[in-house]
């Protein structure tokens, strides 16, 4: 290998990812190399990246005010409200 990458990453995210890498039997370096190989193979990010539309942004905003979200005492009440 001839090049080095230095990046800062949230410590919690890193710890959770390393646990998964361990279960997969790969190192952090191997995971990064796999990601880069997939970028090359797909000629882009190897998973969909989209800019959220207005509806999605509104839904995100709703989660910042959970007290304003509807709640239901039973699943039946939820079904009746949504018509499902």
């Amino acid at each position: 290998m001839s090049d080095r990458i230095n990046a800062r990453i949230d410590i919690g995210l890193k710890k959770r990812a390393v646990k998964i890498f361990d279960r997969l039997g790969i190192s952090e370096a191997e995971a990064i190399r796999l990601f880069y190989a997939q970028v090359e193979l797909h000629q882009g990010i190897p998973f969909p990246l989209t800019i959220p539309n207005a509806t999605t942004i509104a839904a995100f905003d709703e989660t910042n005010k959970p007290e304003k979200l509807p709640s239901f005492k039973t699943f039946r009440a939820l079904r009746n409200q949504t018509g499902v």
Side-chain angles (χ1 to χ4, degrees):
M1 300 295 151
S2 61
D3 210 350
R4 176 181 284 278
I5 297 171
N6 292 312
R8 294 195 179 274
I9 189 164
D10 176 81
I11 193 163
L13 173 60
K14 181 180 185 286
K15 285 180 180 180
R16 292 187 301 274
V18 168
K19 283 183 182 180
I20 294 168
F21 299 153
D22 287 345
R23 288 175 47 203
L24 293 169
I26 63 173
S27 69
E28 292 173 78
E30 289 167 324
I32 293 168
R33 282 192 290 275
L34 285 169
F35 175 74
Y36 272 62
Q38 288 297 304
V39 168
E40 179 184 29
L41 178 67
H42 292 274
Q43 292 297 293
I45 301 296
F47 45 83
L49 289 179
T50 58
I51 298 171
N53 62 26
T55 303
T56 303
I57 291 171
F60 289 159
D61 289 342
E62 283 181 356
T63 64
N64 293 327
K65 300 173 190 129
E67 66 280 359
K68 292 188 176 184
L69 295 173
S71 62
F72 303 92
K73 292 188 181 209
T74 65
F75 182 66
R76 184 181 306 254
L78 169 64
R79 287 184 23 203
N80 289 340
Q81 177 70 26
T82 60
V84 175

XYZ file of all heavy atoms in Angstrom:
668
model
N 0.847 -1.169 0.000
C 0.000 0.000 0.000
C 0.895 1.235 0.000
O 1.923 1.263 0.657
C -0.911 0.013 1.233
C -1.841 -1.181 1.336
S -3.026 -1.181 -0.014
C -3.302 -2.911 -0.170
N 0.457 2.259 -0.712
C 1.344 3.409 -0.851
C 0.723 4.740 -0.462
O 1.402 5.752 -0.516
C 1.825 3.501 -2.299
O 0.720 3.687 -3.151
N -0.532 4.760 -0.066
C -1.147 6.027 0.301
C -1.847 5.889 1.642
O -2.221 4.794 2.053
C -2.148 6.465 -0.766
C -2.275 7.977 -0.860
O -1.738 8.684 0.010
O -2.913 8.451 -1.807
N -2.019 7.005 2.319
C -2.603 7.006 3.655
C -3.781 7.958 3.682
O -3.774 8.995 3.038
C -1.540 7.441 4.663
C -2.034 7.573 6.077
C -0.929 8.023 7.012
N -0.008 6.962 7.340
C -0.225 6.043 8.279
N -1.346 6.045 8.962
N 0.673 5.132 8.543
N -4.801 7.595 4.457
C -5.966 8.451 4.661
C -6.045 8.777 6.147
O -5.982 7.875 6.984
C -7.267 7.738 4.244
C -7.242 7.416 2.762
C -8.481 8.576 4.596
C -8.391 6.535 2.323
N -6.223 10.044 6.478
C -6.452 10.473 7.858
C -7.815 11.149 7.887
O -8.065 12.065 7.112
C -5.379 11.461 8.328
C -4.028 10.791 8.461
O -3.925 9.724 9.053
N -3.005 11.405 7.908
N -8.670 10.685 8.768
C -10.010 11.276 8.863
C -10.465 11.258 10.314
O -10.155 10.342 11.065
C -10.978 10.489 7.997
N -11.219 12.259 10.686
C -11.834 12.293 12.017
C -13.224 11.703 11.893
O -13.927 11.954 10.926
C -11.906 13.723 12.539
C -10.544 14.316 12.803
C -10.680 15.574 13.659
N -9.396 16.147 13.938
C -8.625 15.772 14.945
N -8.998 14.831 15.767
N -7.453 16.353 15.133
N -13.608 10.911 12.901
C -14.912 10.269 12.883
C -15.444 10.201 14.313
O -14.667 10.086 15.264
C -14.831 8.864 12.234
C -16.210 8.290 12.005
C -13.962 7.930 13.038
C -16.236 7.126 11.050
N -16.746 10.293 14.455
C -17.380 10.202 15.764
C -16.953 8.897 16.440
O -17.022 7.821 15.831
C -18.899 10.241 15.590
C -19.626 10.061 16.902
O -19.738 11.047 17.644
O -20.068 8.917 17.168
N -16.513 8.991 17.677
C -15.977 7.818 18.382
C -17.024 6.715 18.554
O -16.721 5.528 18.427
C -15.336 8.203 19.724
C -14.515 7.044 20.254
C -16.367 8.662 20.722
C -13.539 7.445 21.344
N -18.276 7.110 18.818
C -19.334 6.106 18.976
C -19.595 5.359 17.680
O -19.731 4.132 17.670
N -19.651 6.104 16.578
C -19.857 5.485 15.276
C -18.723 4.520 14.966
O -18.942 3.398 14.509
C -19.958 6.559 14.199
C -20.015 6.084 12.749
C -21.223 5.180 12.516
C -20.034 7.278 11.806
N -17.492 4.943 15.248
C -16.321 4.096 14.988
C -16.403 2.805 15.795
O -16.204 1.713 15.256
C -15.042 4.848 15.321
C -13.779 4.039 15.055
C -12.537 4.844 15.418
C -11.271 4.131 15.070
N -10.938 3.032 15.956
N -16.719 2.907 17.079
C -16.798 1.712 17.927
C -17.867 0.744 17.423
O -17.649 -0.470 17.382
C -17.088 2.104 19.374
C -15.900 2.695 20.091
C -16.245 3.072 21.522
C -15.058 3.675 22.239
N -15.371 4.034 23.619
N -19.030 1.281 17.043
C -20.115 0.419 16.551
C -19.725 -0.248 15.234
O -19.991 -1.429 15.018
C -21.406 1.218 16.413
C -21.987 1.651 17.767
C -23.343 2.303 17.637
N -23.358 3.488 16.803
C -23.082 4.728 17.202
N -22.740 4.949 18.467
N -23.144 5.745 16.371
N -19.063 0.513 14.370
C -18.639 -0.049 13.086
C -17.568 -1.121 13.287
O -17.607 -2.177 12.647
C -18.125 1.061 12.170
N -16.621 -0.871 14.181
C -15.550 -1.845 14.434
C -16.134 -3.156 14.947
O -15.661 -4.241 14.585
C -14.487 -1.265 15.395
C -13.547 -2.339 15.905
C -13.697 -0.155 14.694
N -17.167 -3.095 15.780
C -17.814 -4.325 16.249
C -18.359 -5.126 15.072
O -18.244 -6.352 15.031
C -18.952 -4.000 17.220
C -18.489 -3.631 18.604
C -19.679 -3.395 19.511
C -19.224 -2.965 20.892
N -20.362 -2.735 21.793
N -18.931 -4.429 14.113
C -19.468 -5.114 12.923
C -18.330 -5.672 12.085
O -18.389 -6.820 11.633
C -20.357 -4.160 12.113
C -21.595 -3.793 12.931
C -20.755 -4.790 10.777
C -22.405 -2.649 12.378
N -17.271 -4.886 11.892
C -16.117 -5.378 11.137
C -15.550 -6.633 11.791
O -15.194 -7.595 11.106
C -15.017 -4.313 11.028
C -15.428 -3.042 10.329
C -14.804 -1.848 10.622
C -16.446 -3.038 9.381
C -15.165 -0.671 9.989
C -16.824 -1.861 8.735
C -16.173 -0.679 9.042
N -15.464 -6.622 13.122
C -14.960 -7.795 13.845
C -15.824 -9.017 13.564
O -15.308 -10.117 13.339
C -14.911 -7.527 15.348
C -13.797 -6.577 15.760
O -12.875 -6.340 14.946
O -13.865 -6.046 16.887
N -17.134 -8.837 13.587
C -18.047 -9.959 13.309
C -17.877 -10.459 11.881
O -18.050 -11.642 11.598
C -19.489 -9.551 13.561
C -19.782 -9.411 15.058
C -21.157 -8.893 15.376
N -22.207 -9.554 14.639
C -23.401 -9.026 14.390
N -23.688 -7.811 14.824
N -24.302 -9.688 13.724
N -17.532 -9.543 10.967
C -17.316 -9.921 9.572
C -15.916 -10.482 9.337
O -15.632 -11.034 8.276
C -17.524 -8.707 8.658
C -18.943 -8.167 8.576
C -18.967 -6.829 7.860
C -19.853 -9.173 7.880
N -15.043 -10.318 10.318
C -13.675 -10.818 10.184
C -12.793 -9.935 9.314
O -11.864 -10.432 8.676
N -13.097 -8.617 9.284
C -12.270 -7.708 8.496
C -11.781 -6.565 9.390
O -12.383 -6.257 10.413
C -13.014 -7.137 7.268
C -14.225 -6.291 7.696
C -13.435 -8.248 6.318
C -14.910 -5.565 6.544
N -10.677 -5.971 8.978
C -10.128 -4.830 9.715
C -10.765 -3.537 9.211
O -11.429 -3.513 8.174
C -8.612 -4.761 9.512
O -8.326 -4.411 8.158
N -10.515 -2.458 9.952
C -10.996 -1.152 9.505
C -10.380 -0.797 8.152
O -11.067 -0.273 7.266
C -10.644 -0.074 10.527
C -11.413 -0.222 11.827
C -10.918 0.758 12.866
O -11.293 1.952 12.771
O -10.160 0.327 13.752
N -9.093 -1.081 7.986
C -8.416 -0.777 6.719
C -9.047 -1.566 5.569
O -9.246 -1.025 4.476
C -6.926 -1.082 6.828
N -9.350 -2.840 5.825
C -9.992 -3.653 4.775
C -11.371 -3.110 4.427
O -11.756 -3.083 3.259
C -10.096 -5.111 5.224
C -8.760 -5.814 5.263
C -8.801 -7.149 5.984
O -9.534 -7.282 6.987
O -8.096 -8.060 5.530
N -12.104 -2.649 5.430
C -13.428 -2.079 5.184
C -13.324 -0.836 4.302
O -14.112 -0.648 3.379
C -14.114 -1.749 6.505
N -12.330 -0.004 4.586
C -12.133 1.201 3.767
C -11.751 0.823 2.342
O -12.267 1.382 1.372
C -11.082 2.126 4.418
C -11.641 2.686 5.733
C -10.659 3.241 3.468
C -10.620 3.373 6.606
N -10.853 -0.164 2.199
C -10.465 -0.608 0.856
C -11.665 -1.172 0.105
O -11.833 -0.917 -1.095
C -9.341 -1.644 0.930
C -7.983 -1.007 1.189
C -6.827 -1.986 0.964
N -6.768 -3.033 1.983
C -6.156 -2.915 3.157
N -5.556 -1.802 3.479
N -6.133 -3.919 3.999
N -12.534 -1.919 0.808
C -13.749 -2.446 0.168
C -14.658 -1.313 -0.303
O -15.215 -1.369 -1.407
C -14.520 -3.349 1.141
C -13.954 -4.726 1.385
C -14.678 -5.393 2.561
C -14.098 -5.574 0.138
N -14.809 -0.292 0.534
C -15.631 0.847 0.144
C -15.068 1.502 -1.113
O -15.797 1.765 -2.074
C -15.730 1.855 1.288
C -16.469 3.105 0.904
C -17.853 3.093 0.764
C -15.782 4.284 0.675
C -18.536 4.249 0.391
C -16.460 5.435 0.314
C -17.840 5.417 0.165
N -13.765 1.764 -1.133
C -13.145 2.388 -2.301
C -13.295 1.511 -3.546
O -13.537 2.027 -4.642
C -11.660 2.676 -2.025
C -11.429 4.022 -1.384
C -11.960 4.329 -0.139
C -10.679 4.990 -2.026
C -11.742 5.561 0.447
C -10.461 6.230 -1.451
C -11.001 6.507 -0.220
O -10.796 7.731 0.353
N -13.150 0.199 -3.383
C -13.309 -0.706 -4.524
C -14.735 -0.637 -5.071
O -14.951 -0.660 -6.289
C -12.963 -2.140 -4.121
N -15.723 -0.539 -4.181
C -17.117 -0.425 -4.617
C -17.385 0.912 -5.302
O -18.143 0.981 -6.267
C -18.067 -0.627 -3.433
C -18.142 -2.063 -2.954
C -18.709 -2.974 -4.027
O -19.805 -2.750 -4.538
N -17.947 -3.988 -4.386
N -16.749 1.984 -4.817
C -16.880 3.290 -5.477
C -16.360 3.188 -6.906
O -17.001 3.652 -7.858
C -16.135 4.386 -4.686
C -16.008 5.672 -5.500
C -16.854 4.663 -3.366
N -15.211 2.543 -7.066
C -14.647 2.376 -8.403
C -15.563 1.522 -9.270
O -15.854 1.873 -10.417
C -13.257 1.730 -8.311
C -12.625 1.512 -9.674
C -11.302 0.779 -9.592
O -11.101 -0.022 -8.656
O -10.480 1.018 -10.476
N -16.043 0.411 -8.737
C -16.902 -0.498 -9.489
C -18.189 0.190 -9.942
O -18.618 0.048 -11.082
C -17.238 -1.721 -8.629
C -18.169 -2.759 -9.252
C -17.500 -3.447 -10.428
C -18.572 -3.780 -8.194
N -18.812 0.952 -9.052
C -20.087 1.614 -9.347
C -19.918 2.978 -10.006
O -20.901 3.595 -10.397
C -20.907 1.774 -8.054
C -21.393 0.485 -7.503
N -22.561 -0.105 -7.915
C -20.868 -0.341 -6.571
C -22.737 -1.235 -7.266
N -21.713 -1.404 -6.435
N -18.667 3.450 -10.049
C -18.382 4.781 -10.565
C -19.175 5.847 -9.800
O -19.728 6.789 -10.361
C -18.662 4.871 -12.073
C -17.704 4.051 -12.910
C -16.271 4.560 -12.762
O -15.961 5.651 -13.185
N -15.408 3.766 -12.132
N -19.267 5.660 -8.508
C -19.967 6.582 -7.628
C -20.135 5.941 -6.265
O -19.626 4.847 -6.011
N -20.857 6.603 -5.402
C -21.132 6.059 -4.075
C -21.957 4.778 -4.268
O -22.934 4.784 -5.012
C -21.887 7.083 -3.208
C -21.064 8.373 -3.062
C -22.246 6.505 -1.842
C -19.757 8.213 -2.327
N -21.594 3.679 -3.604
C -22.247 2.389 -3.874
C -23.593 2.182 -3.178
O -24.011 1.062 -2.951
C -21.207 1.373 -3.373
C -20.472 2.097 -2.301
C -20.425 3.535 -2.740
N -24.258 3.259 -2.860
C -25.610 3.198 -2.311
C -26.296 4.500 -2.691
O -25.636 5.497 -2.990
C -25.602 2.974 -0.791
C -24.614 3.826 -0.044
C -24.913 5.135 0.311
C -23.371 3.315 0.302
C -24.009 5.913 0.995
C -22.450 4.092 0.989
C -22.775 5.398 1.333
N -27.620 4.499 -2.727
C -28.316 5.703 -3.184
C -28.113 6.893 -2.244
O -28.206 6.749 -1.031
C -29.795 5.306 -3.211
C -29.862 3.869 -2.872
C -28.532 3.417 -2.407
N -27.817 8.031 -2.814
C -27.752 9.288 -2.082
C -28.749 10.233 -2.744
O -28.663 10.472 -3.937
C -26.361 9.915 -2.170
C -25.246 9.245 -1.407
C -23.928 9.987 -1.638
C -25.538 9.205 0.075
N -29.673 10.722 -1.970
C -30.659 11.627 -2.526
C -30.843 12.827 -1.610
O -30.614 12.740 -0.399
C -32.020 10.935 -2.708
O -32.458 10.439 -1.439
C -31.929 9.766 -3.677
N -31.255 13.920 -2.194
C -31.598 15.108 -1.426
C -33.056 14.960 -1.029
O -33.912 14.718 -1.888
C -31.374 16.379 -2.251
C -29.894 16.490 -2.607
C -31.875 17.613 -1.506
C -29.568 17.582 -3.591
N -33.374 15.049 0.253
C -34.757 14.839 0.672
C -35.698 15.878 0.057
O -35.345 17.055 -0.058
C -34.718 14.969 2.193
C -33.338 15.342 2.566
C -32.490 15.344 1.353
N -36.891 15.411 -0.324
C -37.890 16.339 -0.852
C -38.590 17.048 0.308
O -38.330 16.772 1.478
C -38.884 15.613 -1.763
C -39.675 14.545 -1.034
O -39.873 14.618 0.173
N -40.130 13.555 -1.772
N -39.493 17.972 -0.014
C -40.157 18.782 1.006
C -40.941 17.929 1.998
O -40.957 18.211 3.202
C -41.079 19.805 0.340
N -41.576 16.868 1.534
C -42.347 15.989 2.420
C -41.438 15.305 3.423
O -41.750 15.225 4.616
C -43.118 14.941 1.592
O -43.959 15.621 0.658
C -43.946 14.031 2.465
N -40.299 14.824 2.955
C -39.352 14.151 3.839
C -38.763 15.136 4.851
O -38.634 14.811 6.038
C -38.230 13.485 3.023
O -38.820 12.576 2.099
C -37.258 12.746 3.912
N -38.426 16.328 4.400
C -37.887 17.342 5.314
C -38.918 17.688 6.377
O -38.585 17.814 7.561
C -37.439 18.596 4.536
C -36.205 18.252 3.691
C -37.134 19.749 5.482
C -35.795 19.326 2.707
N -40.197 17.811 5.978
C -41.258 18.092 6.954
C -41.360 16.957 7.971
O -41.546 17.199 9.170
C -42.590 18.295 6.242
N -41.226 15.714 7.517
C -41.272 14.569 8.430
C -40.091 14.611 9.407
O -40.249 14.326 10.594
C -41.274 13.261 7.646
N -38.902 14.960 8.897
C -37.736 15.104 9.775
C -38.006 16.170 10.834
O -37.699 15.994 12.010
C -36.491 15.497 8.988
C -35.913 14.419 8.114
C -35.090 14.766 7.059
C -36.165 13.076 8.324
C -34.524 13.791 6.244
C -35.619 12.093 7.521
C -34.794 12.451 6.471
N -38.569 17.301 10.393
C -38.852 18.402 11.316
C -39.848 17.979 12.397
O -39.734 18.412 13.546
C -39.367 19.621 10.563
C -38.284 20.300 9.729
O -37.086 20.047 9.993
O -38.639 21.070 8.817
N -40.814 17.150 12.031
C -41.808 16.681 13.014
C -41.149 15.923 14.160
O -41.603 15.992 15.296
C -42.842 15.773 12.353
C -43.881 16.499 11.550
C -44.891 15.539 10.939
O -44.740 14.294 11.075
O -45.848 16.023 10.325
N -40.083 15.210 13.870
C -39.433 14.416 14.914
C -38.749 15.286 15.960
O -38.453 14.809 17.045
C -38.401 13.427 14.326
O -37.339 14.167 13.710
C -39.038 12.499 13.316
N -38.527 16.546 15.629
C -37.932 17.466 16.603
C -38.962 17.973 17.608
O -38.601 18.621 18.576
C -37.279 18.653 15.886
C -36.075 18.234 15.074
O -35.362 17.303 15.450
N -35.861 18.878 13.963
N -40.251 17.676 17.350
C -41.329 18.101 18.253
C -42.249 16.908 18.525
O -43.412 16.891 18.106
C -42.117 19.239 17.614
C -41.279 20.459 17.315
C -42.052 21.488 16.528
C -41.104 22.560 16.064
N -41.210 22.829 14.658
N -41.744 15.882 19.216
C -42.537 14.669 19.410
C -43.846 14.906 20.152
O -44.808 14.164 19.962
C -41.608 13.734 20.197
C -40.532 14.599 20.739
C -40.449 15.807 19.856
N -43.897 15.958 20.963
C -45.142 16.235 21.696
C -46.279 16.614 20.754
O -47.452 16.498 21.106
C -44.923 17.342 22.737
C -44.616 18.722 22.168
C -43.176 18.943 21.716
O -42.350 18.025 21.857
O -42.893 20.040 21.217
N -45.962 17.043 19.539
C -46.991 17.414 18.566
C -47.411 16.239 17.677
O -48.353 16.363 16.904
C -46.504 18.571 17.702
C -46.351 19.867 18.481
C -46.057 21.017 17.566
C -46.007 22.313 18.367
N -45.813 23.473 17.512
N -46.707 15.117 17.777
C -47.050 13.955 16.964
C -48.263 13.247 17.549
O -48.432 13.185 18.774
C -45.869 12.976 16.898
C -44.623 13.491 16.183
C -43.484 12.490 16.352
C -44.907 13.735 14.720
N -49.129 12.690 16.694
C -50.280 11.967 17.222
C -49.828 10.695 17.935
O -48.799 10.107 17.601
C -51.097 11.627 15.974
C -50.127 11.672 14.849
C -49.075 12.668 15.244
N -50.589 10.305 18.937
C -50.301 9.047 19.628
C -51.599 8.250 19.712
O -52.696 8.805 19.640
C -49.719 9.304 21.020
O -50.656 9.994 21.817
N -51.440 6.965 19.852
C -52.582 6.060 19.866
C -52.415 5.074 21.006
O -51.318 4.570 21.238
C -52.682 5.322 18.528
C -52.786 6.263 17.353
C -51.648 6.685 16.675
C -54.014 6.744 16.938
C -51.727 7.551 15.613
C -54.118 7.617 15.871
C -52.969 8.031 15.200
N -53.506 4.795 21.695
C -53.441 3.867 22.823
C -53.423 2.419 22.357
O -52.917 1.550 23.049
C -54.611 4.102 23.773
C -54.502 5.438 24.467
C -55.522 5.601 25.544
C -55.333 6.983 26.139
N -55.700 7.086 27.491
N -53.979 2.173 21.177
C -54.003 0.803 20.660
C -53.648 0.811 19.179
O -53.781 1.829 18.487
C -55.407 0.172 20.817
O -56.323 0.885 19.988
C -55.867 0.181 22.271
N -53.230 -0.339 18.709
C -52.939 -0.499 17.289
C -54.227 -0.329 16.481
O -54.218 0.245 15.391
C -52.302 -1.863 17.035
C -51.920 -2.082 15.598
C -50.915 -1.324 15.014
C -52.554 -3.033 14.828
C -50.557 -1.517 13.691
C -52.201 -3.233 13.511
C -51.204 -2.479 12.935
N -55.334 -0.797 17.020
C -56.634 -0.655 16.347
C -56.971 0.825 16.128
O -57.443 1.210 15.059
C -57.738 -1.333 17.144
C -59.091 -1.304 16.471
C -60.134 -1.987 17.336
N -59.701 -3.326 17.678
C -60.203 -4.430 17.142
N -61.174 -4.376 16.285
N -59.744 -5.611 17.511
N -56.694 1.665 17.132
C -56.949 3.095 17.004
C -56.082 3.700 15.891
O -56.560 4.527 15.108
C -56.699 3.806 18.327
N -54.836 3.278 15.823
C -53.947 3.741 14.752
C -54.510 3.317 13.400
O -54.575 4.130 12.464
C -52.543 3.177 14.961
C -51.571 3.359 13.792
C -51.281 4.833 13.543
C -50.281 2.605 14.040
N -54.889 2.068 13.259
C -55.461 1.565 12.003
C -56.708 2.330 11.616
O -56.904 2.677 10.454
C -55.734 0.076 12.082
C -54.467 -0.737 12.033
C -54.687 -2.224 12.016
N -55.965 -2.631 11.528
C -56.551 -3.784 11.808
N -55.930 -4.658 12.556
N -57.725 -4.088 11.305
N -57.571 2.593 12.583
C -58.801 3.324 12.287
C -58.491 4.747 11.803
O -59.133 5.236 10.870
C -59.699 3.401 13.523
C -60.314 2.046 13.850
O -60.382 1.154 12.999
N -60.742 1.891 15.087
N -57.499 5.383 12.416
C -57.125 6.740 12.037
C -56.516 6.795 10.638
O -56.788 7.699 9.873
C -56.143 7.327 13.050
C -55.634 8.707 12.721
C -56.699 9.792 12.849
O -57.654 9.641 13.607
N -56.537 10.847 12.100
N -55.699 5.793 10.302
C -54.992 5.802 9.021
C -55.770 5.125 7.916
O -55.400 5.198 6.752
C -53.621 5.129 9.150
O -53.801 3.787 9.575
C -52.729 5.896 10.121
N -56.831 4.412 8.271
C -57.640 3.732 7.266
C -57.005 2.462 6.717
O -57.348 1.991 5.644
N -56.090 1.910 7.476
C -55.417 0.678 7.030
C -56.110 -0.532 7.608
O -56.506 -0.601 8.712
C -53.928 0.690 7.441
C -53.256 -0.625 7.081
C -53.227 1.841 6.784
